[in-house]
Structure formats: structure tokens, C-alpha cells
Amino acid sequence: MPEDVTGGDLYALWRVSEALLPRVADVYYDSNRLVAGASGAAGLTFALTMWNTLRDELQDMYAEIGGVVMDGAAAVRQARLAYEASDAQAAGELRSILADPYRNSTDPAVAPPAPGSEDDPGTPIQVEGPPGTS
């Protein structure tokens, strides 16, 4: 591991994995839930079938993109944890930075989304396929 990693570098990784990427995933998961809640017009069988197909594709796509973003956040988190484990000085600097109320505030640009808040990615709604699929 590079010798010149600082607590500030680890803080940048922390911010990406804990605050920024979860908010990006939230945009896609919100879209997934919005599309999942959109129902078709009754009586228009062909149009309804086509809409349901499109809706399911969009819903699945938004869930998958959000999942990839959250996987990216997890990978960045693992990299940060690996650096913390191998460099006690940088880990100590990161703890000091996170203890600083200016940097560890409720500001959405800095803090992780609070569980259950509007910014929290939550869980996407999975597409329910026809019987026998999944």
C-alpha cells in the first residue's frame, strides 16, 4: 500500500462510500419505486400489455443501476477499511476528521443519509415475473 495515504485521503473515500454514492443509488431506487407504482389503463389490452412490459423493464433497470452504484460504494468502503487496517496513523487522522463536527454534520454534502430519510436508498421493488420465472 502506498506510504503517502493520509487521513484526508481516507476521508475522501469515506465520503464517497457513505454519503455520495448512496445518494446516487437513491435516485435510481426512487425511480424504480415510482415506475413500480404506475399502473396501466384498464380496457386497452394491447397498450396495457406493452406498458406493463416497458414498466417491468424500467423497474428492473433502475434497480440494477442502483445496485451497481451501491456495489461501488461497498468496494470503495472495503478499500478504505484495508488502508485503515494497514496504516494506523492515517486511520487516526480519519477518526479525528470524523470527530470534527464541521466535517461530520447532517449536511447532505458531507453526512451519510439517515436511515429512513428521503436520501436513504432503501430497497428497490423487484419485478414480479410470470409464474415459473425468477
Side-chain angles (χ1 to χ4, degrees), residues 1 11 16 44 46 57 64 89 95 106 123:
M1 305 228 170
Y11 175 72
V16 167
L44 303 173
F46 177 74
E57 287 293 321
E64 189 170 329
Q89 181 180 351
R95 282 191 296 278
T106 57
T123 305

Side-chain angles (χ1 to χ4, degrees), residues 20-38:
L20 301 178
L21 287 178
R23 284 187 170 81
V24 172
D26 177 56
V27 171
Y28 290 102
Y29 284 175
D30 283 351
S31 298
N32 162 271
R33 291 184 284 268
L34 181 67
V35 169

Side-chain angles (χ1 to χ4, degrees), residues 12-127:
L13 294 174
W14 176 88
R15 192 166 161 246
V16 167
S17 68
E18 306 303 320
L20 301 178
L21 287 178
R23 284 187 170 81
V24 172
D26 177 56
V27 171
Y28 290 102
Y29 284 175
D30 283 351
S31 298
N32 162 271
R33 291 184 284 268
L34 181 67
V35 169
S39 60
L44 303 173
T45 307
F46 177 74
L48 181 58
T49 301
M50 295 308 295
W51 164 245
N52 287 340
T53 301
L54 175 62
R55 181 194 63 208
D56 289 351
E57 287 293 321
L58 287 171
Q59 184 181 344
D60 192 44
M61 177 191 71
Y62 287 133
E64 189 170 329
I65 292 170
V68 168
V69 171
M70 291 303 288
D71 288 347
V76 171
R77 182 177 307 112
Q78 290 303 315
R80 175 184 52 86
L81 291 172
Y83 275 107
E84 282 183 60
S86 67
D87 187 336
Q89 181 180 351
E93 290 172 10
L94 175 62
R95 282 191 296 278
S96 295
I97 290 169
L98 292 176
D100 181 352
Y102 174 73
R103 290 202 173 147
N104 193 16
S105 69
T106 57
D107 179 356
V110 178
S117 70
E118 186 177 314
D119 296 15
D120 182 25
T123 305
I125 297 172
Q126 300 302 316
V127 174

